[in-house]
């Protein structure tokens, strides 16, 4: 290996090592140890906020006009469901009990399903394929809702599985059959 | 019972021990497969749109009143509704111009925001006896024969369960639906001359204002012309312009050329972007695998002492790269599918170009191609490092630095 090549490898390795040490220092203070509670709290709040304010901002429904449009009613309903999803996120962070968190996650999944059904079945959006609500808001709400359902399901499954193995103070885990 | 440490498990554990490096490399492959799949589907959809426009614009020339060339193009390309009229006598004068094979007149109306569509819609009245641009493209005939009083709708018009649409307070049965074109015609409604008279009367009753002398008996909005074989289009245009005043002629070839130009630039950008991502990902992966292989020289030398063959050492590194590219490839394509298919109408509206998604078999081919490239990129990037590791002398490697 030529000298230049060797130095390049050395510098990249040193940089990677430094980054790893920084991460380990932060992790020791417990930031990443709260793991599941923090992660699920953040995900539920972010997705809930997207559902609640998305139809009024980044993926807007049709603007108010002379006619009352179905999509505007859908946006109002999504505002409520999105807020509830964000509340689910707060509850997940507040409660330590694993079984309670499984229940809260399942409730989050049910809210995701409701959010999916609102524009697709229960209320609907405008009929024309090229209107903003159908072209942008409907697919965006559907994708966010599906993400909530999938995340809630995975979180409940993870918590349920984690219940079968108890982590001891020395870091080893015991599996209960 | 303890499980044997297979090569696959060993590679998996290596990746798990370095979560940040693994996630960063997976993300690079995710970005690559996302760009490749989305770019390819976009490119094919735009080409499909262009081909459809070429096939659907049956007329070579469209005669419109002076100043309405842009409005006519908007009706055809984006479905933006518009109304304009000239006297029907123009049709009789143009009819005799030399070099015309077929000609037919159309009458335009726009609707109010109605229940069926919520947006104003372009209604195009046509003469079934002379029409050559609408009837050949009927995809499904719903109510049997197309009779007066029934409508033909573009593929984007929502017709509901009763196969009817409501305009100016009246329900009109839908007789047929047209093929998808990816143009403004998908958002238009077509009616025969008799039906358009009824629609016009109702529109007036609903308070729509028209020019004082505009009515379906005495006015028309456009004349579609098919040029006879053997005649130069320029010559026919000149012949037509001699017959009447206050008219302007739209050449459909010009519209198609405009779309082809926009599409060409966009397509080139997509291909360049995809190629840049491919090269960038390959460089990143090669560099990272080269650095990590160098970093792990002593680890591999120890494995050699423990009995691992040279082939196995190379296999470990190749498997690690394969796992990274398979995971990244699948996640990238999944994300791309979540973006490109549900948001297809939004993409079409944003690009303002004819857009028709590829057929399912073609999508499967694009998907397979993207997956193969994404999966292959990891092992290709790590091949050199794997070969280098398998060639290294164990003793020298272990004593290195002493």
């Amino acid at each position: 290996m030529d000298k230049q090549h060797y130095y390049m490898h050395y510098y990249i390795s040193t940089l990677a090592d430094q980054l790893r040490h920084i991460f380990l220092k932060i992790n020791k203070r417990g930031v990443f140890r709260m793991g599941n509670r923090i992660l699920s709290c953040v995900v539920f709040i972010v997705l809930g906020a997207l559902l609640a304010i998305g139809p009024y901002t980044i993926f807007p429904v049709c603007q108010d006009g002379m006619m009352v449009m179905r999509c505007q009613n859908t946006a109002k309903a999504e505002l409520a469901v999105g807020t509830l999803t964000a509340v689910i996120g707060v509850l997940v962070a507040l409660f330590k009990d694993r079984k309670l968190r499984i229940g809260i996650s399942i409730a989050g999944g049910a809210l995701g399903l409701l959010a999916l059904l609102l524009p697709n079945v229960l209320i609907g959006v405008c009929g024309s394929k090229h209107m903003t609500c159908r072209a942008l808001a409907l697919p965006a709400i559907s994708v966010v809702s599906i993400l909530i359902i999938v995340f809630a399901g995975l979180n409940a499954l993870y918590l349920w599985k984690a219940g079968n193995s108890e982590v001891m103070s020395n870091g080893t885990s015991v599996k209960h059959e | 019972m303890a499980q044997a440490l297979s090569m696959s498990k060993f590679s998996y554990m290596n990746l798990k021990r370095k979560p940040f490096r693994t996630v960063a490399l997976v993300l690079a492959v995710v970005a690559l497969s996302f760009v490749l799949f989305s770019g390819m589907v976009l490119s094919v959809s735009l080409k499909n749109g262009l081909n459809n426009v070429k096939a659907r614009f049956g007329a070579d020339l469209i005669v419109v009143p002076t100043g309405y060339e842009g409005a006519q193009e908007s009706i055809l390309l984006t479905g933006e509704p518009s109304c304009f009229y000239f006297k029907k006598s123009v049709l009789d004068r143009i009819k005799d111009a030399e070099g015309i094979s077929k000609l037919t007149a159309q009458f335009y109306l726009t609707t109010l925001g109605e229940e069926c569509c919520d947006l104003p819609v372009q209604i195009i009245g046509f003469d079934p006896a002379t029409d050559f641009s609408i009837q050949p493209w009927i995809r499904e005939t719903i109510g049997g024969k197309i009779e007066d009083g029934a409508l033909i709708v573009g593929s984007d018009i929502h017709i509901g369960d009763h196969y009817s649409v409501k305009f100016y307070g009246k329900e009109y049965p839908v007789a047929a639906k047209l093929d998808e074109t990816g143009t403004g015609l998908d958002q238009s409604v077509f009616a025969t001359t008799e039906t358009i008279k009824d629609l016009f009367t109702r529109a007036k009753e609903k308070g729509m204002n028209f020019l004082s002398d505009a009515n379906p008996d005495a006015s028309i909005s456009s004349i579609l012309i098919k040029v006879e074989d053997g005649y130069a289009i320029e010559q026919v245009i000149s012949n037509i312009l001699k017959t009447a005043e206050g008219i302007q002629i739209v050449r459909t070839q010009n519209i198609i050329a405009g779309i082809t130009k926009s599409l060409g630039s966009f397509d080139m950008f997509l291909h360049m972007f995809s190629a840049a991502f491919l090269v960038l990902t390959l460089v990143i992966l090669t560099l990272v695998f080269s650095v990590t292989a160098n970093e792990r020289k002593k680890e591999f030398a120890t494995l050699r002492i423990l009995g691992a063959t040279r082939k196995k050492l190379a296999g470990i590194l190749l498997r690690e790269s394969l796992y990274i590219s398979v995971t990244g490839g699948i996640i990238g394509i999944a994300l791309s599918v979540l973006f490109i298919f549900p948001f297809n109408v939004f993409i079409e509206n944003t690009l303002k170009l004819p857009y028709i998604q590829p057929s399912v078999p073609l999508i499967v081919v694009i998907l397979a191609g993207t997956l193969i490239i994404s999966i292959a990129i990891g092992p290709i990037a790590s091949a050199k490092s794997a070969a280098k590791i398998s060639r290294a002398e164990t003793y020298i490697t272990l004593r290195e630095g002493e």
Side-chain angles (χ1 to χ4, degrees):
Chain A
M1 184 191 302
D2 58 59
K3 216 171 183 180
Q4 203 180 0
H5 204 174
Y6 176 80
Y7 281 127
M8 190 184 73
H9 279 195
Y10 174 76
Y11 284 126
I12 293 175
S13 311
T14 315
L15 185 69
D17 272 351
Q18 288 296 323
L19 286 172
R20 200 169 66 230
H21 283 305
I22 291 167
F23 167 73
L24 287 173
K25 268 187 184 173
I26 298 169
N27 199 20
K28 264 185 188 168
R29 287 173 198 162
V31 174
F32 291 93
R33 283 203 182 148
M34 289 189 75
N36 178 265
R37 274 164 66 197
I38 292 288
L39 178 75
S40 38
C41 168
V42 169
V43 172
F44 275 125
I45 288 178
V46 168
L47 293 177
L50 268 177
L51 266 189
I53 58 170
Y56 294 100
T57 51
I58 47 174
F59 40 90
V61 291
C62 305
Q63 289 192 338
D64 273 321
M66 298 281 284
M67 222 182 298
V68 178
M69 292 178 176
R70 276 182 293 177
C71 62
Q72 286 157 5
N73 292 332
T74 297
K76 285 174 195 160
E78 292 294 354
L79 178 67
V81 175
T83 310
L84 285 175
T85 310
V87 171
I88 289 280
V90 175
L91 292 179
V92 161
L94 285 179
F95 291 103
K96 281 184 181 175
D97 184 74
R98 187 183 52 81
K99 282 181 183 167
L100 203 57
R101 281 195 285 147
I102 292 175
I104 296 169
S105 289
I106 292 170
L111 281 174
L113 185 65
L114 183 63
L116 181 69
L117 291 177
L118 282 170
N120 286 291
V121 182
L122 299 175
I123 302 177
V125 288
C126 298
S128 174
K129 194 178 157 186
H130 290 267
M131 293 189 78
T132 325
C133 63
R134 187 166 277 276
L136 182 61
L138 176 67
I141 291 171
S142 302
V143 168
V144 174
S145 310
I146 290 168
L147 288 178
I148 291 175
I149 296 167
V150 170
F151 179 75
L154 289 176
N155 195 40
L157 194 71
Y158 168 78
L159 288 170
W160 180 71
K161 275 200 157 187
N164 291 333
S165 63
E166 189 182 70
V167 179
M168 293 171 75
S169 57
N170 63 0
T172 56
S173 67
V174 178
K175 192 129 186 164
H176 296 295
E177 295 299 333
Chain B
M1 202 180 83
Q3 282 182 337
L5 186 62
S6 65
M7 260 167 66
S8 306
K9 197 168 181 188
F10 192 81
S11 301
Y12 169 72
M13 285 167 76
N14 278 338
L15 293 175
K16 209 175 162 187
R17 285 282 297 168
K18 298 270 185 184
F20 280 96
R21 194 191 70 200
T22 307
V23 169
L25 293 179
V26 167
L27 283 179
V29 184
V30 165
L32 172 73
S33 55
F34 182 90
V35 168
L36 284 183
F37 186 75
S38 311
M40 203 59 203
V41 172
L42 271 178
S43 172
V44 173
S45 302
L46 290 169
K47 278 176 190 159
N48 279 351
L50 178 66
N51 291 338
N52 238 294
V53 168
K54 281 179 184 167
R56 268 305 294 271
F57 283 0
D60 298 316
L61 303 170
I62 303 171
V63 181
V64 291
T66 307
Y68 288 98
E69 188 181 10
Q72 177 65 46
E73 284 186 12
S74 296
I75 291 172
L76 291 174
L77 293 180
T78 57
E80 202 178 302
S82 197
C83 278
F84 43 84
Y85 306 101
F86 49 25
K87 284 181 181 163
K88 211 170 188 175
S89 56
V90 175
L91 178 70
D92 298 322
R93 289 208 294 273
I94 288 177
K95 211 184 280 178
D96 300 325
E98 204 184 336
I100 293 175
S101 158
K102 290 176 191 169
L103 99 169
T104 185
Q106 294 189 334
F107 184 90
Y108 297 161
L109 268 183
T110 58
T111 68
L112 306 165
E114 296 280 347
E115 198 186 328
C116 81
C117 316
D118 297 327
L119 268 182
V121 168
Q122 180 75 48
I123 301 182
I124 299 175
F126 66 95
D127 180 0
T130 55
D131 171 66
F132 60 90
S133 73
I134 296 158
Q135 293 172 114
W137 296 97
I138 293 173
R139 181 178 58 194
E140 56 176 320
T141 308
I142 296 160
K145 200 182 158 203
I146 300 158
E147 286 169 352
D148 290 334
L151 300 175
I152 298 171
V153 295
S155 64
D156 288 354
I157 301 288
H158 180 65
I159 53 173
D161 299 331
H162 303 292
Y163 299 124
S164 64
V165 282
K166 194 175 179 182
F167 291 122
Y168 311 115
K170 186 188 170 185
E171 290 276 350
Y172 288 88
V174 174
K177 203 163 189 176
L178 295 180
D179 265 330
E180 191 184 6
T181 62
T183 67
L185 297 175
D186 293 343
Q187 301 157 54
S188 305
V189 170
F190 304 88
T192 59
T193 319
E194 291 307 311
T195 315
I196 207 85
K197 284 176 188 169
D198 181 50
L199 281 159
F200 182 79
T201 313
R202 287 185 178 276
K204 274 195 137 177
E205 282 171 11
K206 284 276 173 185
M208 278 195 79
N209 294 318
F210 295 96
L211 295 170
S212 56
D213 58 344
N215 73 74
D217 288 319
S219 319
I220 50 173
S221 300
S222 66
I223 302 166
L224 274 61
I225 293 170
K226 185 95 185 152
V227 173
E228 203 166 329
D229 288 343
Y231 280 87
I233 289 186
E234 286 76 16
Q235 183 57 48
V236 180
I237 290 173
S238 162
N239 295 343
I240 293 167
L241 288 173
K242 279 178 205 160
T243 59
E245 284 177 355
I247 59 167
Q248 199 169 359
I249 297 175
V250 180
R251 280 185 66 169
T252 51
Q253 276 303 322
N254 288 356
I255 299 177
I256 293 168
I259 298 170
T260 311
K261 199 179 165 192
S262 313
L263 180 62
S265 330
F266 190 72
D267 204 38
M268 197 175 79
F269 170 75
L270 279 179
H271 284 111
M272 280 173 66
F273 198 60
S274 302
F277 252 86
L278 188 64
V279 173
L280 198 68
T281 311
L282 194 64
V283 169
I284 291 172
L285 292 183
T286 310
L287 202 67
V288 172
F289 280 118
S290 161
V291 170
T292 50
N294 196 49
E295 205 180 52
R296 293 165 64 188
K297 271 196 301 191
K298 292 200 175 179
E299 174 195 329
F300 285 118
T302 314
L303 286 172
R304 278 284 289 143
I305 292 166
L306 289 172
T309 59
R310 288 174 190 278
K311 209 173 159 186
K312 277 202 170 170
L313 292 188
I316 288 168
L317 204 63
L318 285 172
R319 270 167 206 263
E320 283 178 23
S321 63
L322 186 70
Y323 293 161
I324 285 168
S325 41
V326 168
T327 314
I330 291 170
I331 294 173
I333 291 173
L335 287 177
S336 179
V337 166
L338 269 182
F339 165 74
I340 205 102
F341 296 121
F343 292 93
N344 68 323
V345 182
F346 176 70
I347 295 167
E348 182 185 343
N349 289 352
T350 310
L351 294 176
K352 292 189 190 303
L353 285 169
Y355 185 94
I356 295 180
Q357 283 196 335
S359 59
V360 176
L362 190 54
I363 289 173
V364 173
V365 171
I366 297 170
L367 196 143
T370 310
L371 207 56
I372 289 168
I373 295 172
S374 309
I375 289 174
I377 201 161
I380 290 170
S382 64
K384 195 185 161 198
S385 307
K388 208 165 140 189
I389 282 169
S390 62
R391 278 200 307 267
E393 279 301 326
T394 313
Y395 177 76
I396 297 169
T397 310
L398 274 178
R399 298 295 302 270
E400 208 170 64
E402 281 182 13

